[in-house]
Amino acid sequence: MFSGRKQKQPVVREIAKLGNPVLRKIAEPVTDFDSAELQTIIQDMRSMLEKSNGVGIAAPQISESIRLMIIASRPNDRYPDAPKMKPVVMINPVFSVLDSTVIKGWEGCLSIPGIRAQVPRYQAVQVNFQNPAGEKQAMDLQGFVARIFQHEYDHLEGRVYLDHVVDNKDIIAESEYFKLK
Ligand code: NI
C-alpha cells in the first residue's frame, strides 16, 4: 500500500496523470495512524499543494491508493476567486448531501493539465472524516469548498471530474479559461 520509503525529508513526487491506472482504482481505507509513512505522505502532499497552486489533492494523485485528501482553498494563480481557508487533512472521509441543489462550476485537476471544465456539484455537504491523529471530525462545507471536496472524493473512488461533464462544450483549454477571468 505504501511506497516503503523510510527517510523523512519531503521528496519531489510525480503527479499521476490521466491514463495512469492508479487514478481509476478505488483507494483503500487508512487503518494505521501511527505509521511514519502516513505522516510522510501527508507532508509530501502539503508541499506539493503549495508548489503547484492547487486547492486540493488526493493521495492517489501521488500514486498512494489510500483514502486521504487535503482541501486547501486559497486564492492563487490557478484559482484567483477561491476563498481562503486553513488546509484540512481528511482521512477516510464520508459525506452526506446538505443541499442537493446542483450547480455547475469550473474545475481543473493537477492530474489533467491544461484543461478546465464546468462540472455539476452539490451546493453543500457534511463530511465525517479522521484527522492525521485518527480522531473523528465533522465539517459542513458549501460552495467552492464543497466542490473541492467532491472533486477530491472522486479521486478516492477512481473517478475524475471529466466523468461528470454533461456536455463536451463545457470542456475548454486552460489558456482559454484564463481569458474568461
Ligand atoms: Ni483532481
Side-chain angles (χ1 to χ4, degrees):
M1 173 164 51
F2 296 136
S3 62
R5 187 158 50 84
K6 294 285 195 297
Q7 74 269 30
K8 285 227 168 62
Q9 69 271 28
V11 295
V12 180
R13 292 188 184 235
E14 208 178 318
I15 293 276
K17 303 293 185 344
L18 188 64
N20 186 321
V22 72
L23 294 176
R24 292 307 191 177
K25 275 170 71 176
I26 295 181
E28 298 288 333
V30 172
T31 52
D32 181 6
F33 287 86
D34 296 325
S35 138
E37 194 72 38
L38 176 66
Q39 305 307 326
T40 305
I41 291 169
I42 292 169
Q43 264 319 111
D44 289 352
M45 286 169 63
R46 282 183 187 279
S47 58
M48 289 184 84
L49 255 189
E50 271 172 37
K51 279 182 210 135
S52 59
N53 282 335
V55 291
I57 190 168
Q61 292 185 274
I62 59 163
S63 299
E64 298 286 354
S65 193
I66 57 172
R67 302 186 80 80
L68 158 63
M69 65 165 77
I70 303 176
I71 58 175
S73 177
R74 64 201 158 118
N76 63 36
D77 291 345
R78 286 184 76 241
Y79 294 93
D81 305 323
K84 194 172 165 58
M85 68 181 282
K86 248 182 91 180
V88 185
V89 178
M90 295 180 167
I91 300 171
N92 301 328
V94 294
F95 74 100
S96 55
V97 177
L98 291 177
D99 181 345
S100 60
T101 311
V102 169
I103 295 173
K104 269 192 190 179
W106 290 106
E107 295 184 23
C109 182
L110 298 173
S111 295
I112 310 172
I115 297 283
R116 296 290 177 116
Q118 296 248 45
V119 184
R121 300 287 189 189
Y122 297 119
Q123 169 66 17
V125 294
Q126 179 176 68
V127 185
N128 289 278
F129 60 98
Q130 286 165 280
N131 67 16
E135 297 157 349
K136 289 185 176 171
Q137 315 268 295
M139 274 181 91
D140 291 353
L141 307 176
Q142 56 178 320
F144 187 67
V145 181
R147 174 174 299 281
I148 298 170
F149 171 81
Q150 290 168 81
H151 176 116
E152 303 309 333
Y153 187 83
D154 274 347
H155 283 303
L156 306 186
E157 293 292 306
R159 293 189 297 257
V160 298
Y161 76 102
L162 293 177
D163 300 340
H164 296 288
V165 167
V166 291
D167 184 336
N168 283 339
K169 294 190 184 74
D170 289 338
I171 307 175
I172 67 171
E174 194 165 62
S175 52
E176 292 297 323
Y177 170 78
F178 284 119
K179 290 181 196 168
L180 298 176
K181 289 275 139 184

